[in-house]
Every structure is written in C-alpha cells, then in structure tokens.
Amino acid sequence: MELPTIDLPALPRLLAAPAPGWVETTDVVVVGSGVAGLTAALHLREAGLHVTVVTKVNIDDGSTRWAQGGIAAVLDPADTPAAHASDTEIAGVGLCDPAAVRVLVEEGPIRLRELMRIGAEFDRNPDGSLMLTREGGHRADRIVHAGGDATGAEVQRALHDAV
C-alpha cells in the first residue's frame, strides 16, 4: 500500500521572534541566583572575569531565603572532620557519596568563613564567639544559625549584597 504524498509548507529559516530587549557582552553567564550561582559569580568576578547572572525573576526570589536550618561545619577545636563525616554517613543510612561527604566536612569551615567575609552575620555568644548548636544526626555542637531560624535569608542577603 502506497501512502499519499502531502505537500507541507516550507519552514522559515528564521523564527518570528522579536529582537532581543538587551544585549550584554560578558565573559561568563551564570544561570541561577541561589547559593551556588551567586557563589560561582563571586569567585569568577574575583578571578577578574566579567560575569552576568541570569535568573528567572529577581535575584532574591529563589528558595534560599526560606532555608531555616543551620550550617554544619567543624569549628570547635574538640570536634573533627572525621567525626562530622561519621555523623553524616550514619544519618545518610548508606546513601551518602563518600567523596561528597569528604568535601563537605573538609571545606565546610572554609566556606562558612567565606560567607562571614562577605558579610553574613551568624548568631553569637555574649563573648562574641559563634554560637554552635546541635541538630538531628550530629553528636557535636557544629551548627551555626543566623537570626535563629533565618539562616537562609541571611545567606541570601549577604550573597546578594556581595554580588
């Protein structure tokens, strides 16, 4: 059985979209304005590159600001990255990627200090030291908060201001 031939109209070579509303010359485009996007943008800018951040609406409309938990990092001299890794792997019930856990526990303190360097303000004890607390799965006080349960909002604010 032979199928009938159908004549289709030729497709246009250009889409009928409007001209762009703006043009930007840049070295790097970062898509997304959450913690990862803004942190990448800051590091790229510090490396001397011109960076453009593209986001769906406004730079602070993402979910970062709603994060209420704290940030885990080994900051107490009595704590160790090995203990943090052990707690993380136990809580992860076998689902953790060991390489990712290693990066988390080794770089956590560095990244937290980076956030403080750009202006993030975390809760402090009366003597000015960072207030370390404990959250589920941790057997040591290694969690920092900002504004009690407003850690995400503070991280977003600091990154936004820095960018």
Side-chain angles (χ1 to χ4, degrees):
M1 175 169 144
E2 196 172 313
L3 296 175
T5 304
I6 301 172
D7 291 322
L8 297 174
L11 295 174
R13 293 203 178 266
L14 294 174
L15 296 176
W22 54 274
V23 175
E24 177 77 20
T25 300
T26 190
D27 296 318
V28 179
V29 174
V30 173
V31 179
S33 60
V35 172
L38 294 182
T39 300
L42 286 171
H43 283 271
L44 291 163
R45 187 178 73 192
E46 286 174 5
L49 298 171
H50 181 264
V51 181
T52 301
V53 176
V54 178
T55 187
K56 57 188 162 199
V57 184
N58 294 314
I59 196 169
D60 59 356
D61 276 351
S63 300
T64 298
R65 64 182 166 161
W66 301 112
Q68 295 180 343
I71 298 173
V74 174
L75 300 170
D76 184 331
D79 196 7
T80 66
H84 188 183
S86 175
D87 288 351
T88 301
E89 289 165 353
I90 290 168
V93 293
L95 300 175
C96 297
D97 177 343
V101 171
R102 189 170 44 260
V103 168
L104 170 81
V105 302
E106 290 175 3
E107 292 189 19
I110 297 164
R111 301 300 167 223
L112 183 68
R113 288 184 185 100
E114 237 176 51
L115 286 169
M116 292 188 300
R117 181 180 55 83
I118 65 165
E121 296 181 20
F122 295 100
D123 297 341
R124 297 197 175 257
N125 293 310
D127 68 1
S129 63
L130 285 172
M131 184 181 295
L132 300 177
T133 62
R134 196 175 303 196
E135 288 183 358
H138 294 276
R139 293 179 284 180
D141 293 345
R142 66 173 68 102
I143 312 298
V144 295
H145 288 89
D149 64 357
T151 306
E154 177 59 13
V155 168
Q156 179 70 38
R157 183 207 59 78
L159 287 167
H160 183 191
D161 288 354
V163 167

